[in-house]
Amino acid sequence: MSGPRKILLLPGDGIGAEVSNQVELVMDWLAKNLGFSYDVKTEDIGGASYDKYGTPLTDEVLNDALESDAILFGAVGGPRWDEVERELRPEAGLLRLRKELDLFANLRPAIVFESLAEASSLKKELISGLNIMIVRELTSGCYFGEPRGIDVMPDGTRRGFDTEVYTETEITRVGKVAFELARKRQRKVHSVEKANVMESGVFWREIMTSLQNEEGQDIELQHMYADNCAMQLVREPKQFDVIVTNNLFGDLLSDCAAMLTGSLGMLPSASLGEIDKDKKRRALYEPVHGSAPDIAGKDIANPIAMLLSLAMMLRYSFAEEKNAMLIESSIKNVLSGGYRTKDISQPGMEIVSTKKMGNLVIQELDKLI
Ligand code: IPM
Ligand code: MG
């Protein structure tokens, strides 16, 4: 890639700003020590943007997003904007960004950090060594399907409705991403839907089956109903390698998987678009945890999910596997050293602030190079 990478940083609301500060410090470190050349532009999104401009995503920021090589996203939302109408709520900014950039493949790894395995609500032996990749379709399904609305029927009864809809192309392209990822892992894919109840589920299953026949003979594909998948995730999570599913089921199952790792404050995600003719793809990297308004501004939030999102950016947008692993190793070492932010605190460990955690990661980076 020629010239500095154009990175758009969107801290957003709640703890988004604090964790973003730590990411900036690590990017500075990368620039100074490893020649990582980038231009970073910081802009408002979500509630922060609504308060200033009356919209959760301005056209200017959308344009910057379209022109960037990668986006680092903090978090959006908070009770402060509960009364705002749906189209202008902080979440609407994020949804529009996903849609306009066509970020259809949402990668949500659920990984257990060994030093945190005790923190899971499940028994340690069930989750120790767990490494699942959930691929959630992100730009279709009932999140965007039409018609949707709340109206009054002829007899005067009010009703609310959404539309669950998937085209063949939408299923195929996300299925391909899941197969591609599985090839670098255990080649096992669970495709998750409700084909026992929903037409769109029957169709999803049919398209995934053809995809495997056509180009996935090397993949072990299993179909699973979404309710069973939720149950299996808490019963025997290690049976999964890659899970591919629609937007809504992916939203639910990824929260479930994230929580059972005991490391919710630790998990990053990537939202990716199609690879274009120049081998580039649009991409947004974001911690799985939300804006956590209750602890915002107190310097106690865990910056690790955001730092791991930076590592994912290096891996998926810039093919810098070595540097991605460097960040990941530093974080592991800091945790093994007995340092914890409050959310992952354990008896006998030192509780550190957001800033201190960022600092420790940088000290560890210094040691590793
Ligand atoms: C997520 C969140 C979002 C979603 C919200 C904030 C719109 O829950 O990224 O999982 O439902 O997709
Ligand atoms: Mg969610």
Side-chain angles (χ1 to χ4, degrees):
M1 199 171 287
S2 58
R5 280 88 188 252
K6 278 206 239 162
I7 295 168
L8 179 64
L9 180 64
L10 301 174
D13 308 322
I15 60 172
E18 294 156 71
V19 297
S20 295
N21 285 339
Q22 299 314 307
V23 147
E24 284 192 274
L25 293 175
V26 172
M27 285 200 286
D28 285 349
W29 186 93
L30 290 170
K32 219 182 282 152
N33 294 280
L34 301 173
F36 179 67
S37 161
Y38 69 96
D39 279 334
V40 66
K41 191 165 180 191
T42 307
E43 297 286 358
D44 288 313
I45 184 120
S49 171
Y50 176 82
D51 287 346
K52 277 195 205 158
Y53 311 108
T55 167
L57 174 66
T58 63
D59 292 341
E60 287 74 31
V61 173
L62 178 60
N63 269 329
D64 287 337
L66 288 164
E67 276 166 23
S68 65
D69 292 317
I71 302 167
L72 281 165
F73 189 99
V76 288
R80 192 181 141 91
W81 301 282
D82 273 353
E83 302 307 319
V84 176
E85 59 183 298
R86 192 171 54 81
E87 292 82 53
L88 294 178
R89 289 172 63 109
E91 292 80 3
L94 174 59
L95 293 176
R96 178 154 176 240
L97 206 52
R98 287 174 179 170
K99 191 70 179 171
E100 300 268 355
L101 272 68
D102 200 18
L103 303 170
F104 68 93
N106 183 211
L107 279 45
R108 299 194 165 186
I111 295 167
V112 168
F113 290 79
E114 279 322 298
S115 44
L116 295 180
E118 308 280 356
S120 172
S121 47
L122 296 191
K123 293 195 200 82
K124 190 173 172 187
E125 61 270 24
L126 279 181
I127 55 125
S128 177
L130 182 74
N131 183 340
I132 304 176
M133 178 65 87
I134 297 190
V135 182
R136 166 187 177 193
E137 199 293 325
L138 202 60
T139 50
S140 185
C142 67
Y143 272 63
F144 298 97
E146 296 286 347
R148 58 190 289 146
I150 299 172
D151 67 8
V152 189
M153 295 191 295
D155 73 353
T157 313
R158 294 183 73 220
R159 62 171 187 175
F161 52 97
D162 296 280
T163 302
E164 174 68 14
V165 56
Y166 271 100
T167 66
E168 181 169 353
T169 320
E170 287 168 340
I171 301 168
T172 306
R173 66 179 185 171
V174 78
K176 282 186 184 178
V177 171
F179 283 8
E180 238 2 272
L181 286 163
R183 287 192 177 102
K184 297 193 186 122
R185 303 167 52 101
Q186 298 170 46
R187 295 182 179 250
K188 247 171 62 179
V189 174
H190 280 82
S191 169
V192 172
E193 26 61 9
K194 282 284 287 176
N196 52 345
V197 183
M198 300 170 75
E199 295 301 328
S200 56
V202 172
F203 189 60
W204 181 285
R205 188 173 283 220
E206 179 194 315
I207 302 302
M208 284 302 296
T209 304
S210 335
L211 182 66
Q212 191 206 15
N213 288 338
E214 279 153 30
E215 52 182 88
Q217 294 294 332
D218 56 329
I219 303 288
E220 188 192 318
L221 175 69
Q222 278 188 55
H223 303 281
M224 192 179 258
Y225 297 141
D227 52 346
N228 185 27
C229 181
M231 183 182 80
Q232 296 299 336
L233 271 174
V234 291
R235 194 185 74 91
E236 198 200 329
K238 278 190 255 180
Q239 69 186 284
F240 296 106
D241 179 25
V242 174
I243 294 175
V244 61
T245 188
N246 72 21
N247 206 341
L248 183 62
F249 295 149
D251 184 41
L252 308 180
L253 296 172
S254 64
D255 262 20
C256 174
M259 193 64 223
L260 62 83
T261 66
S263 323
L264 187 56
M266 312 271 300
L267 297 177
S269 75
S271 304
L272 307 175
E274 207 88 70
I275 299 172
D276 67 17
K277 53 180 183 347
D278 305 321
K279 297 230 154 87
K280 280 173 68 169
R281 72 188 334 175
R282 298 228 158 90
L284 179 149
Y285 301 88
E286 157 191 25
V288 168
H289 63 67
S291 57
D294 51 321
I295 60 162
K298 295 185 181 161
D299 195 26
I300 57 173
N302 188 348
I304 291 180
M306 189 75 191
L307 295 175
L308 289 173
S309 300
L310 173 67
M312 271 189 118
M313 177 186 91
L314 295 175
R315 174 172 294 127
Y316 290 105
S317 283
F318 304 130
E320 291 191 9
E321 181 62 28
K322 241 179 82 191
N323 293 337
M325 281 170 65
L326 191 67
I327 295 178
E328 289 162 354
S329 304
S330 309
I331 290 169
K332 274 186 199 136
N333 292 352
V334 170
L335 292 172
S336 312
Y339 299 100
R340 299 284 186 273
T341 42
K342 195 157 171 260
D343 56 308
I344 51 173
S345 67
Q346 285 164 298
M349 307 261 155
E350 184 178 339
I351 296 187
V352 299
S353 66
T354 310
K355 288 194 188 114
K356 178 82 196 270
M357 183 54 93
N359 238 299
L360 287 165
V361 172
I362 287 174
Q363 279 174 29
E364 204 54 47
L365 283 168
D366 279 329
K367 277 190 225 158
L368 286 180
I369 58 158

PDB file of all heavy atoms in Angstrom, residues 214-245:
ATOM      1  N   GLU A 214     -20.711 -26.373  -4.457  1.00  0.00           N
ATOM      2  CA  GLU A 214     -19.969 -25.736  -5.539  1.00  0.00           C
ATOM      3  C   GLU A 214     -18.521 -25.439  -5.185  1.00  0.00           C
ATOM      4  O   GLU A 214     -17.634 -25.604  -5.994  1.00  0.00           O
ATOM      5  CB  GLU A 214     -20.675 -24.446  -5.974  1.00  0.00           C
ATOM      6  CG  GLU A 214     -21.830 -24.732  -6.908  1.00  0.00           C
ATOM      7  CD  GLU A 214     -22.909 -23.657  -6.836  1.00  0.00           C
ATOM      8  OE1 GLU A 214     -22.574 -22.486  -6.556  1.00  0.00           O
ATOM      9  OE2 GLU A 214     -24.096 -24.001  -7.038  1.00  0.00           O
ATOM     10  N   GLU A 215     -18.294 -24.939  -3.966  1.00  0.00           N
ATOM     11  CA  GLU A 215     -16.909 -24.541  -3.678  1.00  0.00           C
ATOM     12  C   GLU A 215     -16.475 -24.783  -2.239  1.00  0.00           C
ATOM     13  O   GLU A 215     -15.530 -24.167  -1.774  1.00  0.00           O
ATOM     14  CB  GLU A 215     -16.691 -23.066  -4.030  1.00  0.00           C
ATOM     15  CG  GLU A 215     -17.701 -22.125  -3.418  1.00  0.00           C
ATOM     16  CD  GLU A 215     -17.455 -20.696  -3.859  1.00  0.00           C
ATOM     17  OE1 GLU A 215     -17.991 -20.282  -4.910  1.00  0.00           O
ATOM     18  OE2 GLU A 215     -16.721 -20.001  -3.134  1.00  0.00           O
ATOM     19  N   GLY A 216     -17.176 -25.669  -1.556  1.00  0.00           N
ATOM     20  CA  GLY A 216     -16.807 -25.891  -0.155  1.00  0.00           C
ATOM     21  C   GLY A 216     -16.639 -27.362   0.195  1.00  0.00           C
ATOM     22  O   GLY A 216     -16.886 -27.763   1.338  1.00  0.00           O
ATOM     23  N   GLN A 217     -16.195 -28.141  -0.781  1.00  0.00           N
ATOM     24  CA  GLN A 217     -16.043 -29.580  -0.521  1.00  0.00           C
ATOM     25  C   GLN A 217     -15.027 -29.869   0.577  1.00  0.00           C
ATOM     26  O   GLN A 217     -15.067 -30.904   1.223  1.00  0.00           O
ATOM     27  CB  GLN A 217     -15.647 -30.315  -1.813  1.00  0.00           C
ATOM     28  CG  GLN A 217     -16.724 -30.303  -2.888  1.00  0.00           C
ATOM     29  CD  GLN A 217     -17.972 -31.086  -2.494  1.00  0.00           C
ATOM     30  OE1 GLN A 217     -17.890 -32.039  -1.709  1.00  0.00           O
ATOM     31  NE2 GLN A 217     -19.139 -30.690  -2.998  1.00  0.00           N
ATOM     32  N   ASP A 218     -14.103 -28.927   0.773  1.00  0.00           N
ATOM     33  CA  ASP A 218     -13.083 -29.099   1.815  1.00  0.00           C
ATOM     34  C   ASP A 218     -13.584 -28.678   3.195  1.00  0.00           C
ATOM     35  O   ASP A 218     -12.876 -28.780   4.188  1.00  0.00           O
ATOM     36  CB  ASP A 218     -11.837 -28.277   1.452  1.00  0.00           C
ATOM     37  CG  ASP A 218     -12.154 -26.801   1.243  1.00  0.00           C
ATOM     38  OD1 ASP A 218     -13.290 -26.468   0.791  1.00  0.00           O
ATOM     39  OD2 ASP A 218     -11.295 -25.964   1.546  1.00  0.00           O
ATOM     40  N   ILE A 219     -14.832 -28.178   3.256  1.00  0.00           N
ATOM     41  CA  ILE A 219     -15.379 -27.679   4.524  1.00  0.00           C
ATOM     42  C   ILE A 219     -16.391 -28.668   5.081  1.00  0.00           C
ATOM     43  O   ILE A 219     -17.226 -29.199   4.359  1.00  0.00           O
ATOM     44  CB  ILE A 219     -16.111 -26.317   4.308  1.00  0.00           C
ATOM     45  CG1 ILE A 219     -15.179 -25.272   3.695  1.00  0.00           C
ATOM     46  CG2 ILE A 219     -16.755 -25.816   5.584  1.00  0.00           C
ATOM     47  CD1 ILE A 219     -14.129 -24.729   4.611  1.00  0.00           C
ATOM     48  N   GLU A 220     -16.334 -28.874   6.383  1.00  0.00           N
ATOM     49  CA  GLU A 220     -17.357 -29.679   7.043  1.00  0.00           C
ATOM     50  C   GLU A 220     -18.488 -28.736   7.435  1.00  0.00           C
ATOM     51  O   GLU A 220     -18.327 -27.924   8.353  1.00  0.00           O
ATOM     52  CB  GLU A 220     -16.713 -30.309   8.281  1.00  0.00           C
ATOM     53  CG  GLU A 220     -17.572 -31.326   8.992  1.00  0.00           C
ATOM     54  CD  GLU A 220     -16.980 -31.672  10.354  1.00  0.00           C
ATOM     55  OE1 GLU A 220     -15.739 -31.823  10.433  1.00  0.00           O
ATOM     56  OE2 GLU A 220     -17.744 -31.742  11.322  1.00  0.00           O
ATOM     57  N   LEU A 221     -19.591 -28.798   6.683  1.00  0.00           N
ATOM     58  CA  LEU A 221     -20.709 -27.880   6.930  1.00  0.00           C
ATOM     59  C   LEU A 221     -21.815 -28.591   7.686  1.00  0.00           C
ATOM     60  O   LEU A 221     -22.267 -29.660   7.294  1.00  0.00           O
ATOM     61  CB  LEU A 221     -21.265 -27.349   5.604  1.00  0.00           C
ATOM     62  CG  LEU A 221     -22.505 -26.466   5.695  1.00  0.00           C
ATOM     63  CD1 LEU A 221     -22.179 -25.117   6.336  1.00  0.00           C
ATOM     64  CD2 LEU A 221     -23.122 -26.227   4.309  1.00  0.00           C
ATOM     65  N   GLN A 222     -22.259 -27.964   8.796  1.00  0.00           N
ATOM     66  CA  GLN A 222     -23.411 -28.508   9.518  1.00  0.00           C
ATOM     67  C   GLN A 222     -24.462 -27.435   9.647  1.00  0.00           C
ATOM     68  O   GLN A 222     -24.146 -26.274   9.883  1.00  0.00           O
ATOM     69  CB  GLN A 222     -22.977 -28.928  10.914  1.00  0.00           C
ATOM     70  CG  GLN A 222     -22.318 -30.287  10.968  1.00  0.00           C
ATOM     71  CD  GLN A 222     -22.084 -30.713  12.402  1.00  0.00           C
ATOM     72  OE1 GLN A 222     -23.018 -30.746  13.197  1.00  0.00           O
ATOM     73  NE2 GLN A 222     -20.840 -30.990  12.740  1.00  0.00           N
ATOM     74  N   HIS A 223     -25.723 -27.826   9.486  1.00  0.00           N
ATOM     75  CA  HIS A 223     -26.818 -26.882   9.669  1.00  0.00           C
ATOM     76  C   HIS A 223     -27.357 -27.041  11.080  1.00  0.00           C
ATOM     77  O   HIS A 223     -27.436 -28.151  11.594  1.00  0.00           O
ATOM     78  CB  HIS A 223     -27.934 -27.161   8.669  1.00  0.00           C
ATOM     79  CG  HIS A 223     -27.462 -27.118   7.244  1.00  0.00           C
ATOM     80  ND1 HIS A 223     -27.262 -25.940   6.565  1.00  0.00           N
ATOM     81  CD2 HIS A 223     -27.111 -28.115   6.396  1.00  0.00           C
ATOM     82  CE1 HIS A 223     -26.828 -26.217   5.343  1.00  0.00           C
ATOM     83  NE2 HIS A 223     -26.721 -27.528   5.211  1.00  0.00           N
ATOM     84  N   MET A 224     -27.719 -25.925  11.684  1.00  0.00           N
ATOM     85  CA  MET A 224     -28.227 -26.009  13.059  1.00  0.00           C
ATOM     86  C   MET A 224     -29.316 -24.952  13.267  1.00  0.00           C
ATOM     87  O   MET A 224     -29.192 -23.829  12.763  1.00  0.00           O
ATOM     88  CB  MET A 224     -27.060 -25.766  14.033  1.00  0.00           C
ATOM     89  CG  MET A 224     -27.370 -26.099  15.480  1.00  0.00           C
ATOM     90  SD  MET A 224     -25.932 -25.813  16.549  1.00  0.00           S
ATOM     91  CE  MET A 224     -25.335 -27.467  16.784  1.00  0.00           C
ATOM     92  N   TYR A 225     -30.370 -25.306  13.977  1.00  0.00           N
ATOM     93  CA  TYR A 225     -31.394 -24.315  14.292  1.00  0.00           C
ATOM     94  C   TYR A 225     -30.853 -23.351  15.345  1.00  0.00           C
ATOM     95  O   TYR A 225     -30.077 -23.752  16.227  1.00  0.00           O
ATOM     96  CB  TYR A 225     -32.663 -24.995  14.822  1.00  0.00           C
ATOM     97  CG  TYR A 225     -33.321 -25.918  13.825  1.00  0.00           C
ATOM     98  CD1 TYR A 225     -33.886 -27.124  14.223  1.00  0.00           C
ATOM     99  CD2 TYR A 225     -33.381 -25.567  12.469  1.00  0.00           C
ATOM    100  CE1 TYR A 225     -34.487 -27.972  13.309  1.00  0.00           C
ATOM    101  CE2 TYR A 225     -33.977 -26.411  11.546  1.00  0.00           C
ATOM    102  CZ  TYR A 225     -34.528 -27.621  11.964  1.00  0.00           C
ATOM    103  OH  TYR A 225     -35.112 -28.454  11.058  1.00  0.00           O
ATOM    104  N   ALA A 226     -31.290 -22.115  15.266  1.00  0.00           N
ATOM    105  CA  ALA A 226     -30.720 -21.069  16.117  1.00  0.00           C
ATOM    106  C   ALA A 226     -30.956 -21.327  17.605  1.00  0.00           C
ATOM    107  O   ALA A 226     -30.085 -21.063  18.443  1.00  0.00           O
ATOM    108  CB  ALA A 226     -31.290 -19.712  15.717  1.00  0.00           C
ATOM    109  N   ASP A 227     -32.127 -21.859  17.945  1.00  0.00           N
ATOM    110  CA  ASP A 227     -32.392 -22.113  19.368  1.00  0.00           C
ATOM    111  C   ASP A 227     -31.481 -23.219  19.890  1.00  0.00           C
ATOM    112  O   ASP A 227     -30.911 -23.121  20.980  1.00  0.00           O
ATOM    113  CB  ASP A 227     -33.880 -22.449  19.613  1.00  0.00           C
ATOM    114  CG  ASP A 227     -34.406 -23.561  18.715  1.00  0.00           C
ATOM    115  OD1 ASP A 227     -33.733 -23.906  17.714  1.00  0.00           O
ATOM    116  OD2 ASP A 227     -35.493 -24.099  19.009  1.00  0.00           O
ATOM    117  N   ASN A 228     -31.274 -24.239  19.067  1.00  0.00           N
ATOM    118  CA  ASN A 228     -30.354 -25.303  19.455  1.00  0.00           C
ATOM    119  C   ASN A 228     -28.926 -24.752  19.583  1.00  0.00           C
ATOM    120  O   ASN A 228     -28.194 -25.092  20.513  1.00  0.00           O
ATOM    121  CB  ASN A 228     -30.408 -26.432  18.419  1.00  0.00           C
ATOM    122  CG  ASN A 228     -29.568 -27.629  18.836  1.00  0.00           C
ATOM    123  OD1 ASN A 228     -29.349 -27.858  20.030  1.00  0.00           O
ATOM    124  ND2 ASN A 228     -29.081 -28.379  17.874  1.00  0.00           N
ATOM    125  N   CYS A 229     -28.563 -23.859  18.672  1.00  0.00           N
ATOM    126  CA  CYS A 229     -27.218 -23.283  18.714  1.00  0.00           C
ATOM    127  C   CYS A 229     -26.994 -22.526  20.032  1.00  0.00           C
ATOM    128  O   CYS A 229     -25.938 -22.654  20.662  1.00  0.00           O
ATOM    129  CB  CYS A 229     -27.016 -22.360  17.520  1.00  0.00           C
ATOM    130  SG  CYS A 229     -25.380 -21.625  17.464  1.00  0.00           S
ATOM    131  N   ALA A 230     -28.009 -21.780  20.465  1.00  0.00           N
ATOM    132  CA  ALA A 230     -27.903 -21.048  21.731  1.00  0.00           C
ATOM    133  C   ALA A 230     -27.664 -22.035  22.867  1.00  0.00           C
ATOM    134  O   ALA A 230     -26.816 -21.822  23.746  1.00  0.00           O
ATOM    135  CB  ALA A 230     -29.175 -20.244  21.976  1.00  0.00           C
ATOM    136  N   MET A 231     -28.399 -23.147  22.815  1.00  0.00           N
ATOM    137  CA  MET A 231     -28.257 -24.155  23.863  1.00  0.00           C
ATOM    138  C   MET A 231     -26.882 -24.816  23.803  1.00  0.00           C
ATOM    139  O   MET A 231     -26.203 -24.972  24.818  1.00  0.00           O
ATOM    140  CB  MET A 231     -29.350 -25.208  23.706  1.00  0.00           C
ATOM    141  CG  MET A 231     -29.336 -26.261  24.767  1.00  0.00           C
ATOM    142  SD  MET A 231     -30.619 -27.481  24.472  1.00  0.00           S
ATOM    143  CE  MET A 231     -29.857 -28.496  23.252  1.00  0.00           C
ATOM    144  N   GLN A 232     -26.454 -25.179  22.587  1.00  0.00           N
ATOM    145  CA  GLN A 232     -25.152 -25.846  22.430  1.00  0.00           C
ATOM    146  C   GLN A 232     -23.996 -24.939  22.850  1.00  0.00           C
ATOM    147  O   GLN A 232     -22.975 -25.405  23.336  1.00  0.00           O
ATOM    148  CB  GLN A 232     -24.952 -26.310  20.984  1.00  0.00           C
ATOM    149  CG  GLN A 232     -25.947 -27.376  20.513  1.00  0.00           C
ATOM    150  CD  GLN A 232     -25.860 -28.658  21.338  1.00  0.00           C
ATOM    151  OE1 GLN A 232     -24.845 -28.967  21.946  1.00  0.00           O
ATOM    152  NE2 GLN A 232     -26.960 -29.402  21.372  1.00  0.00           N
ATOM    153  N   LEU A 233     -24.179 -23.638  22.661  1.00  0.00           N
ATOM    154  CA  LEU A 233     -23.113 -22.706  23.042  1.00  0.00           C
ATOM    155  C   LEU A 233     -22.838 -22.739  24.529  1.00  0.00           C
ATOM    156  O   LEU A 233     -21.695 -22.613  24.960  1.00  0.00           O
ATOM    157  CB  LEU A 233     -23.484 -21.270  22.630  1.00  0.00           C
ATOM    158  CG  LEU A 233     -23.069 -20.818  21.236  1.00  0.00           C
ATOM    159  CD1 LEU A 233     -23.650 -19.446  20.944  1.00  0.00           C
ATOM    160  CD2 LEU A 233     -21.554 -20.800  21.071  1.00  0.00           C
ATOM    161  N   VAL A 234     -23.888 -22.916  25.320  1.00  0.00           N
ATOM    162  CA  VAL A 234     -23.648 -22.969  26.763  1.00  0.00           C
ATOM    163  C   VAL A 234     -23.443 -24.400  27.263  1.00  0.00           C
ATOM    164  O   VAL A 234     -22.958 -24.611  28.362  1.00  0.00           O
ATOM    165  CB  VAL A 234     -24.769 -22.268  27.585  1.00  0.00           C
ATOM    166  CG1 VAL A 234     -24.734 -20.775  27.362  1.00  0.00           C
ATOM    167  CG2 VAL A 234     -26.136 -22.819  27.257  1.00  0.00           C
ATOM    168  N   ARG A 235     -23.805 -25.390  26.434  1.00  0.00           N
ATOM    169  CA  ARG A 235     -23.643 -26.783  26.842  1.00  0.00           C
ATOM    170  C   ARG A 235     -22.241 -27.301  26.531  1.00  0.00           C
ATOM    171  O   ARG A 235     -21.556 -27.853  27.383  1.00  0.00           O
ATOM    172  CB  ARG A 235     -24.672 -27.662  26.118  1.00  0.00           C
ATOM    173  CG  ARG A 235     -24.818 -29.060  26.700  1.00  0.00           C
ATOM    174  CD  ARG A 235     -25.772 -29.907  25.855  1.00  0.00           C
ATOM    175  NE  ARG A 235     -25.141 -30.324  24.603  1.00  0.00           N
ATOM    176  CZ  ARG A 235     -24.474 -31.457  24.454  1.00  0.00           C
ATOM    177  NH1 ARG A 235     -24.366 -32.291  25.455  1.00  0.00           N
ATOM    178  NH2 ARG A 235     -23.922 -31.770  23.304  1.00  0.00           N
ATOM    179  N   GLU A 236     -21.817 -27.056  25.275  1.00  0.00           N
ATOM    180  CA  GLU A 236     -20.536 -27.604  24.848  1.00  0.00           C
ATOM    181  C   GLU A 236     -19.931 -26.680  23.785  1.00  0.00           C
ATOM    182  O   GLU A 236     -19.864 -27.028  22.595  1.00  0.00           O
ATOM    183  CB  GLU A 236     -20.765 -29.011  24.272  1.00  0.00           C
ATOM    184  CG  GLU A 236     -19.525 -29.848  24.197  1.00  0.00           C
ATOM    185  CD  GLU A 236     -19.701 -31.007  23.205  1.00  0.00           C
ATOM    186  OE1 GLU A 236     -20.838 -31.505  23.051  1.00  0.00           O
ATOM    187  OE2 GLU A 236     -18.691 -31.370  22.584  1.00  0.00           O
ATOM    188  N   PRO A 237     -19.501 -25.508  24.199  1.00  0.00           N
ATOM    189  CA  PRO A 237     -19.087 -24.491  23.215  1.00  0.00           C
ATOM    190  C   PRO A 237     -17.924 -24.916  22.328  1.00  0.00           C
ATOM    191  O   PRO A 237     -17.807 -24.445  21.208  1.00  0.00           O
ATOM    192  CB  PRO A 237     -18.709 -23.287  24.082  1.00  0.00           C
ATOM    193  CG  PRO A 237     -18.584 -23.789  25.466  1.00  0.00           C
ATOM    194  CD  PRO A 237     -19.431 -25.012  25.574  1.00  0.00           C
ATOM    195  N   LYS A 238     -17.095 -25.834  22.814  1.00  0.00           N
ATOM    196  CA  LYS A 238     -15.909 -26.172  22.023  1.00  0.00           C
ATOM    197  C   LYS A 238     -16.212 -27.012  20.778  1.00  0.00           C
ATOM    198  O   LYS A 238     -15.328 -27.284  19.989  1.00  0.00           O
ATOM    199  CB  LYS A 238     -14.861 -26.858  22.913  1.00  0.00           C
ATOM    200  CG  LYS A 238     -14.047 -25.812  23.699  1.00  0.00           C
ATOM    201  CD  LYS A 238     -12.864 -26.405  24.401  1.00  0.00           C
ATOM    202  CE  LYS A 238     -13.129 -26.516  25.883  1.00  0.00           C
ATOM    203  NZ  LYS A 238     -12.011 -27.097  26.619  1.00  0.00           N
ATOM    204  N   GLN A 239     -17.490 -27.407  20.580  1.00  0.00           N
ATOM    205  CA  GLN A 239     -17.824 -28.118  19.345  1.00  0.00           C
ATOM    206  C   GLN A 239     -17.797 -27.175  18.140  1.00  0.00           C
ATOM    207  O   GLN A 239     -17.801 -27.624  17.003  1.00  0.00           O
ATOM    208  CB  GLN A 239     -19.211 -28.760  19.457  1.00  0.00           C
ATOM    209  CG  GLN A 239     -20.353 -27.740  19.491  1.00  0.00           C
ATOM    210  CD  GLN A 239     -21.710 -28.371  19.755  1.00  0.00           C
ATOM    211  OE1 GLN A 239     -22.294 -28.986  18.888  1.00  0.00           O
ATOM    212  NE2 GLN A 239     -22.199 -28.226  20.979  1.00  0.00           N
ATOM    213  N   PHE A 240     -17.786 -25.852  18.389  1.00  0.00           N
ATOM    214  CA  PHE A 240     -17.874 -24.899  17.279  1.00  0.00           C
ATOM    215  C   PHE A 240     -16.501 -24.382  16.842  1.00  0.00           C
ATOM    216  O   PHE A 240     -15.602 -24.193  17.667  1.00  0.00           O
ATOM    217  CB  PHE A 240     -18.735 -23.696  17.679  1.00  0.00           C
ATOM    218  CG  PHE A 240     -20.166 -24.037  17.966  1.00  0.00           C
ATOM    219  CD1 PHE A 240     -20.646 -24.053  19.278  1.00  0.00           C
ATOM    220  CD2 PHE A 240     -21.046 -24.353  16.930  1.00  0.00           C
ATOM    221  CE1 PHE A 240     -21.975 -24.370  19.547  1.00  0.00           C
ATOM    222  CE2 PHE A 240     -22.371 -24.672  17.190  1.00  0.00           C
ATOM    223  CZ  PHE A 240     -22.842 -24.676  18.502  1.00  0.00           C
ATOM    224  N   ASP A 241     -16.406 -24.136  15.547  1.00  0.00           N
ATOM    225  CA  ASP A 241     -15.219 -23.477  15.000  1.00  0.00           C
ATOM    226  C   ASP A 241     -15.681 -22.141  14.395  1.00  0.00           C
ATOM    227  O   ASP A 241     -15.484 -21.090  14.990  1.00  0.00           O
ATOM    228  CB  ASP A 241     -14.582 -24.405  13.950  1.00  0.00           C
ATOM    229  CG  ASP A 241     -13.356 -23.800  13.294  1.00  0.00           C
ATOM    230  OD1 ASP A 241     -12.720 -22.935  13.915  1.00  0.00           O
ATOM    231  OD2 ASP A 241     -13.017 -24.198  12.158  1.00  0.00           O
ATOM    232  N   VAL A 242     -16.374 -22.211  13.254  1.00  0.00           N
ATOM    233  CA  VAL A 242     -16.952 -20.999  12.666  1.00  0.00           C
ATOM    234  C   VAL A 242     -18.468 -21.155  12.653  1.00  0.00           C
ATOM    235  O   VAL A 242     -18.981 -22.220  12.297  1.00  0.00           O
ATOM    236  CB  VAL A 242     -16.446 -20.783  11.218  1.00  0.00           C
ATOM    237  CG1 VAL A 242     -17.158 -19.601  10.563  1.00  0.00           C
ATOM    238  CG2 VAL A 242     -14.935 -20.567  11.210  1.00  0.00           C
ATOM    239  N   ILE A 243     -19.175 -20.110  13.058  1.00  0.00           N
ATOM    240  CA  ILE A 243     -20.636 -20.090  12.982  1.00  0.00           C
ATOM    241  C   ILE A 243     -21.020 -18.982  12.007  1.00  0.00           C
ATOM    242  O   ILE A 243     -20.531 -17.858  12.139  1.00  0.00           O
ATOM    243  CB  ILE A 243     -21.269 -19.780  14.364  1.00  0.00           C
ATOM    244  CG1 ILE A 243     -20.980 -20.917  15.347  1.00  0.00           C
ATOM    245  CG2 ILE A 243     -22.772 -19.544  14.241  1.00  0.00           C
ATOM    246  CD1 ILE A 243     -21.469 -20.634  16.778  1.00  0.00           C
ATOM    247  N   VAL A 244     -21.853 -19.287  11.025  1.00  0.00           N
ATOM    248  CA  VAL A 244     -22.324 -18.223  10.132  1.00  0.00           C
ATOM    249  C   VAL A 244     -23.836 -18.129  10.253  1.00  0.00           C
ATOM    250  O   VAL A 244     -24.542 -19.138  10.253  1.00  0.00           O
ATOM    251  CB  VAL A 244     -21.872 -18.448   8.666  1.00  0.00           C
ATOM    252  CG1 VAL A 244     -22.416 -19.742   8.074  1.00  0.00           C
ATOM    253  CG2 VAL A 244     -22.278 -17.258   7.787  1.00  0.00           C
ATOM    254  N   THR A 245     -24.329 -16.906  10.390  1.00  0.00           N
ATOM    255  CA  THR A 245     -25.765 -16.749  10.625  1.00  0.00           C
ATOM    256  C   THR A 245     -26.249 -15.359  10.214  1.00  0.00           C
ATOM    257  O   THR A 245     -25.456 -14.502   9.845  1.00  0.00           O
ATOM    258  CB  THR A 245     -26.095 -17.067  12.104  1.00  0.00           C
ATOM    259  OG1 THR A 245     -27.512 -17.105  12.285  1.00  0.00           O
ATOM    260  CG2 THR A 245     -25.495 -16.047  13.053  1.00  0.00           C
TER     261      THR A 245
END
